[in-house]
Amino acid sequence: MKTVFLSALVSTSLALPAIAEEFKWAVTTDPQTLDPHAVNSAPVLGFLNNVYEGLVRRGKDMSVEPALATSWEPIGDGEGWRFTLRQGVTFQDGSAFNADDVIFSYKRASDEASDTRSWFASVSDAVKVDDYTVDILTNAPNPIFPGSIANWMIMDSGWAEANNAGLPDKENGNYATLNANGTGAFAVTAREPGLRTELQPHAGWWGEVEHNITKAELVPVQNPATALAALLSGDVDFINPVPIQDVARLQSNPNVDVIQGIEARVIMLGFPHEADTLKYSSDVTDANPFADLRVRQAVAHAINVPAILQTIMRGNAQEVSQLVSPAMNGYSDSLAARPAYDPERAKALLAEAGYADGFSFGLKCPNNRYLNDESVCQAVTGMLAQVGIKATLDAMPVSNYWPELRADNYDMYLLGWSPGTFDAEHPIRFLASTPNSEKKLGSWNFGGFSNARVDELLPMIQSEIDADKRQALVDEAHKILQDEVAYVPMYVQPLVWGTGSNIELTQRPDNFFILRWVTVN
Amino acid sequence: MLAYVIRRIGQSILVLLIVGLVAFSMFNFVGDPIDNMLGQERTIEDVERLKEQLGLDKPFPVQYYKFLEGAVQGNFGVSYRQGRPVSEILLERAPATLELAAVSALFAILIGIALGVYTAIKRDGFLANFIMSTSLIGVSLPTFLIGILLIYLFSVELNWLPSFGRGEVVDLGGWTTGLLTSSGLKSLILPAITLGLYQMTLIMRLVRSEMLEVLRQDYIRFARARGLGDSTVHFRHALKNTMVPVVTIIGLQLGAIIAFAIITETVFQWPGMGLLFINAIQFVDIPVMAAYLMLISVMFVGINLAVDILYAFIDPRLRVAGK
């Protein structure tokens, strides 16, 4: 009897130990800080979504779902939003989460020192109603406010103040730059900036665990060939992005999977609307041809987007006609068609505008910012040349590129835009509004596009509660932008991720990698 | 001799100042660091405020003077990208680069000298000619291509060695080493070969040509005439004299190995100072770039100075002239 009991005990013991599942993922850009309010950029926010949490979050299909708030509702007739907080949530250091942390995080994230301040442009105050209720008051009705703060992450007020991290410090960094204490599913357990970041599951996480990871490691690998070799040799489980020219080869390898999708980023060409003359033309010295609508239309018709998608993007990208992709909230279905490739019509328009013999100009592009950006610009140069517009292409590293645009040193430029709020209002505010520093509008409208009706429509869009009316307003704005050819949207950038074949994960259109959706088989 | 040393030191300091000035002025062409420190929803005021905060709105001479002032005290400022003192970051990364450089140099020197001697002694042999022909690869192929080829062969196809990284390291208090762990040693092999291959080829060819020259000398002929054995002639007499110019070249190449580590570290994602520098360029992290260039310059100038002084001692002719 004793022998039988001992045998059973041994059997039970052997069955008990869980198998450890480690996951290693390679990125091209290491997050430069662990401070969730210091830098509003995808590499930082994407990574920190695994460590910190906001009141709401985005699901696998980008829909807004509850996180630290269990529900939210408008206050009165658009005076703000009331959030009911989740109870029983703990930070990774064991501290309890409550309304004080929300108020603290609001003040911190909306401070001048924070790069996330723009998220709270419409907010006038945040009020603690009780330990688990917070009112966020807005200057005007803001129908998309909950979704627009999906990346606003809540910090532990006690932890931050105890470690002198009450505000982000961009110049010298502080404790929150190198350490993290969120409510998210994973905690940062080791951090070597620029080299390695280790994550382990947050034992006290409030949510239902869908993953089986016991330890995860993030490593930056800048060299695409090295990242590819690391995936093929099994040294890493995930790489992003896969170089497009290697997709076919990976797909034929049984040990790896390629996950293809469409990102939220729209790639487009921009014009110097307010310039009097061209900067880099050798034959047009006293005028700006791009100020003429017909010339801009000619550019749109001259560019063969399907050819670009087929030859440069290898069929991985998607044609687009607006500043947002079809996956975005506010996309105008009625305006889905982009100008057809029609070089003859382009030439006719140019002749009509007085440029029958064409003209020369300077095209500025980055060469390390968007997928195959330099190649796309070379293709555009060739297509424009076919209708008589001769572009001198100047492709440069993105670090030199933005200063050139700000200094108006371009005749045409390439731009990619991914709306952080996943909504059409975002690019209208930043790209299509008349630049206005005081109102913080049009900060990326380098060309100075200006349309009185669009400027009227924006605040209406921002405060319209009724979804159908709001869509109609957005449609009107999009139509104006199309009719005026404010930009030439070309395609939505592809997402191409590579994983080991034993990995299951979810690809999100904003290119954020969420660890709690990963399963290692 | 003392006057010679003092003059060389003075020249070294002058070189450092010029290098610092040139490097610092070049940063204006690398790009604007502000864009990488702010997200896409920043405003124009944000850009201006940050520029002022970092001192980038001041005229170039003011910025350069401030940099030199800090550098003399060992203070290179704070990294824009990491928000940490640059000195701290460099000290953290230095062990990886120095270990890689040391192992590469050892590999290059030992194999290079051995092959050089062999091809000189057996210069008409088949294997010697094969080695000489094959060595052209080391000279002709760019470092990053060699690195990637090695990765695909040994990591992807054969799965013998890791494809990137440094493996596990042991912290010795202020210095982390990969020489004491199995994964650390495995990780070191491919990068060391990649980095050392060019230098090995150079040393091999130099040793071979010098040794062939030495073997034609009269004193070698007299040594043989006295009935000394081949090994005595080859190693005790010929090799010793061969090494005089080789020492000079090896010293200079050590600096090159550390400098060229940039490419190797990028390909293998080796967490040293070279990779740090490349990342700093992409991010326009001016404090890190400036500190790295100054450090490399000091190293290069220091090695040059040491080699010159060593050469003065090692060469009897210079010693006699000195007196």
Side-chain angles (χ1 to χ4, degrees):
Chain A
M1 194 57 176
K2 179 174 288 185
T3 303
V4 172
F5 176 77
L6 285 175
S7 299
L9 183 61
V10 170
S11 299
T12 305
S13 298
L14 288 175
L16 281 178
I19 300 174
E21 294 292 2
E22 295 187 8
F23 181 82
K24 198 163 181 178
W25 94 95
V27 291
T28 53
T29 305
D30 193 58
Q32 68 227 61
T33 179
L34 298 184
D35 188 326
H37 305 145
V39 177
N40 180 359
S41 75
V44 172
L45 297 178
F47 172 75
L48 290 181
N49 255 271
N50 294 297
V51 180
Y52 284 94
E53 286 173 321
L55 298 182
V56 304
R57 68 187 187 194
R58 294 195 177 272
K60 297 181 176 179
D61 59 352
M62 295 303 291
S63 60
V64 179
E65 56 185 35
L68 294 184
T70 53
S71 64
W72 51 92
E73 59 192 12
I75 299 175
D77 293 325
E79 292 151 32
W81 290 84
R82 169 162 292 189
F83 291 86
T84 303
L85 306 183
R86 188 179 301 272
Q87 303 191 25
V89 176
T90 59
F91 287 93
Q92 286 139 12
D93 68 351
S95 312
F97 159 76
N98 61 32
D100 292 326
D101 301 307
V102 177
I103 301 300
F104 168 80
S105 297
Y106 160 71
K107 287 175 178 168
R108 191 178 195 274
S110 62
D111 189 271
E112 189 181 71
S114 296
D115 199 26
T116 55
R117 191 168 85 257
S118 64
W119 296 339
F120 305 95
S122 66
V123 175
S124 56
D125 201 5
V127 178
K128 171 185 173 182
V129 176
D130 59 49
D131 272 353
Y132 294 101
T133 309
V134 171
D135 285 351
I136 299 189
L137 308 176
T138 55
N139 302 311
N142 188 335
I144 63 164
F145 180 73
S148 71
I149 56 167
N151 286 326
W152 170 40
M153 301 178 198
I154 306 302
M155 296 180 81
D156 181 0
S157 52
W159 177 84
E161 279 157 7
N163 291 292
N164 296 308
L167 283 176
D169 188 339
K170 221 177 220 49
E171 186 175 7
N172 294 307
N174 57 23
Y175 194 78
T177 304
L178 300 170
N179 301 273
N181 182 38
T183 60
F186 289 88
V188 174
T189 51
R191 166 73 172 166
E192 297 170 56
L195 299 178
R196 192 182 79 97
T197 308
E198 185 185 280
L199 298 168
Q200 285 179 3
H202 172 24
W205 187 53
W206 57 270
E208 179 184 342
V209 176
E210 296 174 47
H211 66 84
N212 64 349
I213 295 172
T214 54
K215 188 171 93 165
E217 191 171 320
L218 174 84
V219 289
V221 181
Q222 286 86 17
N223 191 305
T226 306
L228 205 62
L231 180 67
L232 287 168
S233 62
D235 288 337
V236 297
D237 299 300
F238 172 82
I239 67 171
N240 172 24
V242 172
I244 285 189
Q245 62 273 17
D246 291 304
V247 168
R249 173 160 158 253
L250 283 196
Q251 283 171 333
S252 63
N253 189 308
N255 296 321
V256 301
D257 286 329
V258 179
I259 304 173
Q260 289 163 288
I262 298 297
E263 200 190 342
R265 189 173 303 277
V266 170
I267 304 297
M268 65 191 92
L269 295 170
F271 299 105
H273 294 277
E274 64 185 352
D276 294 325
T277 59
L278 296 181
K279 282 284 201 331
Y280 301 94
S281 181
S282 54
D283 42 29
V284 179
T285 55
D286 56 355
N288 172 14
F290 294 120
D292 191 312
L293 172 60
R294 292 165 298 188
V295 174
R296 299 201 297 276
Q297 289 171 336
V299 170
H301 284 298
I303 296 174
N304 189 347
V305 170
I308 291 178
L309 301 192
Q310 181 183 328
T311 62
I312 299 177
M313 291 306 185
R314 315 291 173 100
N316 288 292
Q318 186 181 84
E319 200 171 330
V320 78
S321 62
Q322 299 161 41
L323 302 185
V324 288
S325 81
M328 298 293 141
N329 187 46
Y331 177 79
S332 301
D333 291 313
S334 57
L335 302 168
R338 69 178 310 283
Y341 169 57
D342 191 344
E344 292 310 313
R345 173 154 178 72
K347 289 176 185 172
L349 285 163
L350 286 172
E352 191 180 323
Y355 299 101
D357 295 331
F359 60 91
S360 62
F361 73 99
L363 169 61
K364 286 281 169 77
C365 291
N367 61 15
N368 66 345
R369 178 66 185 89
Y370 311 114
L371 273 177
N372 294 348
D373 41 10
E374 184 172 10
S375 301
V376 168
C377 288
Q378 282 170 352
V380 166
T381 300
M383 291 164 182
L384 293 179
Q386 285 177 17
V387 301
I389 308 177
K390 295 172 284 292
T392 301
L393 174 59
D394 187 2
M396 62 189 75
V398 72
S399 298
N400 304 85
Y401 183 62
W402 300 132
E404 289 283 82
L405 296 195
R406 276 200 293 271
D408 293 331
N409 290 333
Y410 63 85
D411 292 330
M412 189 190 285
Y413 61 95
L414 187 82
L415 180 69
W417 195 259
S418 175
T421 58
F422 224 64
D423 182 87
E425 176 269 347
H426 193 273
I428 295 175
R429 178 174 18 134
F430 286 98
L431 303 183
S433 298
T434 303
N436 187 318
S437 296
E438 188 179 328
K439 297 179 177 176
K440 306 192 195 307
L441 296 173
S443 53
W444 285 76
N445 184 358
F446 297 117
F449 174 79
S450 181
N451 182 285
R453 181 56 182 165
V454 170
D455 291 338
E456 278 176 11
L457 286 166
L458 179 63
M460 295 164 68
I461 293 169
Q462 287 172 332
S463 55
E464 177 57 63
I465 297 282
D466 184 282
D468 289 331
K469 288 180 183 173
R470 184 174 194 274
Q471 184 64 54
L473 294 169
V474 172
D475 288 349
E476 185 181 348
H478 279 164
K479 186 161 196 328
I480 293 172
L481 295 180
Q482 269 192 359
D483 290 348
E484 293 293 325
V485 196
Y487 292 89
V488 178
M490 293 188 287
Y491 59 89
V492 192
Q493 189 157 266
L495 284 177
V496 194
W497 294 2
T499 70
S501 56
N502 62 322
I503 305 293
E504 289 174 41
L505 51 76
T506 300
Q507 186 180 68
R508 224 167 79 167
D510 58 354
N511 205 11
F512 280 16
F513 179 71
I514 305 299
L515 201 50
R516 60 189 158 79
W517 296 332
V518 175
T519 303
V520 182
N521 296 314
Chain B
M1 189 50 136
L2 181 61
Y4 174 76
V5 170
I6 292 176
R7 182 162 22 94
R8 288 291 291 107
I9 291 176
Q11 288 169 1
S12 300
I13 292 175
L14 181 61
V15 168
L16 286 180
L17 286 177
I18 294 174
V19 167
L21 180 62
V22 172
F24 208 79
S25 58
M26 274 172 60
F27 296 150
N28 288 296
F29 303 100
V30 176
D32 194 333
I34 304 294
D35 288 298
N36 290 301
M37 301 175 75
L38 293 166
Q40 71 176 13
E41 297 184 9
R42 90 274 180 270
T43 64
I44 295 168
E45 288 75 34
D46 293 329
V47 173
E48 293 306 319
R49 189 185 338 104
L50 187 54
K51 197 168 281 193
E52 181 187 349
Q53 197 176 332
L54 298 174
L56 296 176
D57 56 334
K58 295 184 172 59
F60 172 79
V62 174
Q63 290 188 43
Y64 181 57
Y65 176 78
K66 193 161 189 174
F67 168 70
L68 282 188
E69 189 180 32
V72 171
Q73 304 166 42
N75 172 16
F76 294 100
V78 176
S79 163
Y80 295 160
R81 176 167 178 82
Q82 297 192 22
R84 298 161 66 214
V86 175
S87 309
E88 194 177 299
I89 299 174
L90 286 177
L91 283 176
E92 188 178 272
R93 300 290 195 108
T97 296
L98 294 179
E99 280 189 5
L100 176 60
V103 173
S104 301
L106 212 59
F107 161 77
I109 292 170
L110 294 183
I111 305 295
I113 292 177
L115 289 183
V117 169
Y118 180 85
T119 53
I121 295 173
K122 309 279 188 183
R123 70 178 173 281
D124 293 328
F126 168 81
L127 185 55
N129 280 294
F130 176 79
I131 290 172
M132 292 303 294
S133 302
T134 307
S135 72
L136 286 174
I137 294 177
V139 179
S140 308
L141 289 185
T143 302
F144 65 87
L145 188 55
I146 294 173
I148 291 179
L149 287 175
L150 289 178
I151 290 176
Y152 271 91
L153 179 59
F154 291 101
S155 301
V156 177
E157 295 298 329
L158 299 178
N159 253 90
W160 290 356
L161 298 170
S163 55
F164 75 97
R166 200 185 173 196
E168 283 178 49
V169 297
V170 176
D171 192 338
L172 301 177
W175 186 283
T176 56
T177 179
L179 299 176
L180 300 180
T181 64
S182 161
S183 65
L185 288 172
K186 283 184 180 176
S187 298
L188 197 48
I189 294 171
L190 292 185
I193 291 175
T194 301
L195 184 56
L197 200 60
Y198 178 83
Q199 310 306 332
M200 181 204 77
T201 302
L202 205 67
I203 291 172
M204 182 191 79
R205 287 172 165 267
L206 181 66
V207 168
R208 177 180 180 275
S209 64
E210 282 296 321
M211 192 149 188
L212 285 177
E213 187 67 27
V214 166
L215 288 176
R216 292 190 195 102
Q217 298 300 305
D218 287 344
Y219 64 88
I220 295 295
R221 189 171 302 124
F222 291 154
R224 288 191 198 280
R226 289 170 55 206
L228 298 179
D230 273 351
S231 64
T232 304
V233 170
H234 289 150
F235 296 107
R236 186 178 153 123
H237 294 285
L239 182 58
K240 242 181 192 178
N241 287 280
T242 297
M243 291 306 292
V244 172
V246 171
V247 166
T248 306
I249 297 298
I250 288 177
L252 296 178
Q253 293 309 316
L254 282 181
I257 283 181
I258 294 174
F260 279 104
I262 288 180
I263 296 170
T264 303
E265 289 185 8
T266 303
V267 171
F268 287 91
Q269 194 68 24
W270 186 264
M273 292 188 296
L275 183 62
L276 178 70
F277 180 66
I278 290 293
N279 290 346
I281 291 178
Q282 286 169 8
F283 197 80
V284 200
D285 196 343
I286 293 174
V288 170
M289 286 192 279
Y292 176 84
L293 289 178
M294 290 299 292
L295 193 61
I296 292 297
S297 302
V298 168
M299 215 170 285
F300 248 110
V301 170
I303 292 175
N304 264 271
L305 181 61
V307 167
D308 280 356
I309 294 174
L310 183 65
Y311 202 72
F313 279 107
I314 205 175
D315 192 325
R317 292 168 296 181
L318 291 187
R319 225 186 293 142
V320 171
K323 289 171 180 170

